[in-house]
Amino acid sequence: PKAIANRIKAKGLQKLRWYCQMCQKQCRDENGFKCHQMSESHQRQMMVFGENPKRFIDDYSQQFERDFLEHFRRSHRNTRIQANVLYNEFIADRHHIHMNSTKWVTLTEFVKYLGREGKCKVEETPKGWFITLVEHDREKESKQAAREKRRRAEEAEDLRMERQIRRQIE
C-alpha cells in the first residue's frame, strides 16, 4: 500500500521549485530536494555542468524550443492562441525541459524571441501575448535548396569547361 501511494503521489506534476533538470529528478518537498542536492550523483552532475555551463544551457534551450514548437505544430497548427495557454499545455507533460534551465527567464522573453526569429507571429494584447505558428513549407524550401545547389554545380561545371578550353587553346 505505501509503495502504491508513493507511485500515485509521484505520478502528476510537482512543484517546479523542487525539480533538478541536470539529474531530471523531481522531489516532493524542500527536504527531499536538499537531500538530493547533497547526493553524490547530483554533485557529479554539477561538476560536469560547471565545466561548460553555456553548452548545457544552449542545449536545453534548443531542446525546449524544438519541443515547444513541435507541440504547437501538433496541437494548434493554424490557430492564434494565448502563449500562456499553450505553455500550460506543453508543461503538462512531466518530462518536458523546464524553462528555468534555458536562456529565457520568462515566457514573454521566449515569445518575443520566437517573433524575432520569424517562427511565430506574435501579438501583445491587453489579455496577454498571443502567438500564431508561421508554417514554413519544408517541401518548398528543400526544392529551392536543391535548385540552388544544381545551379551552383552547373556554374562550377561551366567554369571548369571554360578553363579546359583555354588550356587547350594555349
Side-chain angles (χ1 to χ4, degrees):
K2 187 175 181 185
I4 293 170
N6 284 344
R7 242 181 281 130
I8 289 170
K9 286 179 197 168
K11 205 172 200 172
L13 286 171
Q14 303 284 318
K15 265 196 170 179
L16 176 61
R17 184 175 171 184
W18 299 311
Y19 183 80
C20 175
Q21 185 70 60
M22 282 300 295
C23 304
Q24 295 178 343
K25 175 146 178 64
Q26 177 70 60
C27 300
R28 272 194 228 137
D29 56 19
E30 191 174 1
N31 185 46
F33 190 65
K34 197 166 85 179
C35 291
H36 166 70
Q37 286 179 312
M38 296 298 160
S39 72
E40 197 177 311
S41 64
H42 178 77
Q43 296 294 326
R44 270 196 311 270
Q45 288 282 27
M46 293 316 289
M47 292 282 282
V48 171
F49 176 80
E51 289 170 9
N52 193 352
K54 185 174 175 7
R55 193 191 87 207
F56 280 96
I57 291 171
D58 288 345
D59 286 349
Y60 285 139
S61 298
Q62 284 177 345
Q63 204 172 343
F64 177 84
E65 179 185 347
R66 187 188 63 235
D67 294 348
F68 184 86
L69 289 173
E70 184 57 37
H71 172 75
F72 197 179
R73 207 169 278 118
R74 268 186 280 118
S75 58
H76 303 284
R77 183 175 225 113
N78 299 316
T79 55
R80 177 179 173 261
I81 187 169
Q82 193 172 14
N84 212 35
V85 171
L86 183 65
Y87 179 71
N88 285 332
E89 286 177 9
F90 175 68
I91 65 171
D93 169 24
R94 66 183 287 217
H95 298 294
H96 71 282
I97 298 292
H98 291 78
M99 188 180 281
N100 65 355
S101 52
T102 68
K103 59 186 173 188
W104 303 288
V105 179
T106 63
L107 181 59
T108 300
E109 216 176 291
F110 178 61
V111 167
K112 286 179 178 178
Y113 162 81
L114 291 176
R116 274 194 315 274
E117 294 294 310
K119 297 178 181 186
C120 291
K121 183 177 166 227
V122 176
E123 301 169 61
E124 185 178 14
T125 67
K127 291 185 177 181
W129 289 90
F130 282 81
I131 55 178
T132 310
L133 189 64
V134 173
E135 273 299 326
H136 296 287
D137 191 353
R138 289 193 180 122
E139 193 175 308
K140 195 176 184 180
E141 287 176 0
S142 64
K143 282 181 182 178
Q144 181 68 29
R147 265 197 303 272
E148 187 63 29
K149 189 176 179 184
R150 209 174 310 115
R151 186 186 61 74
R152 281 196 304 270
E154 286 172 3
E155 284 178 4
E157 182 63 32
D158 289 346
L159 197 61
R160 250 193 313 279
M161 291 297 279
E162 206 176 295
R163 284 185 191 142
Q164 192 175 6
I165 291 171
R166 269 197 229 127
R167 272 194 230 118
Q168 287 175 354
I169 293 172
E170 293 171 358

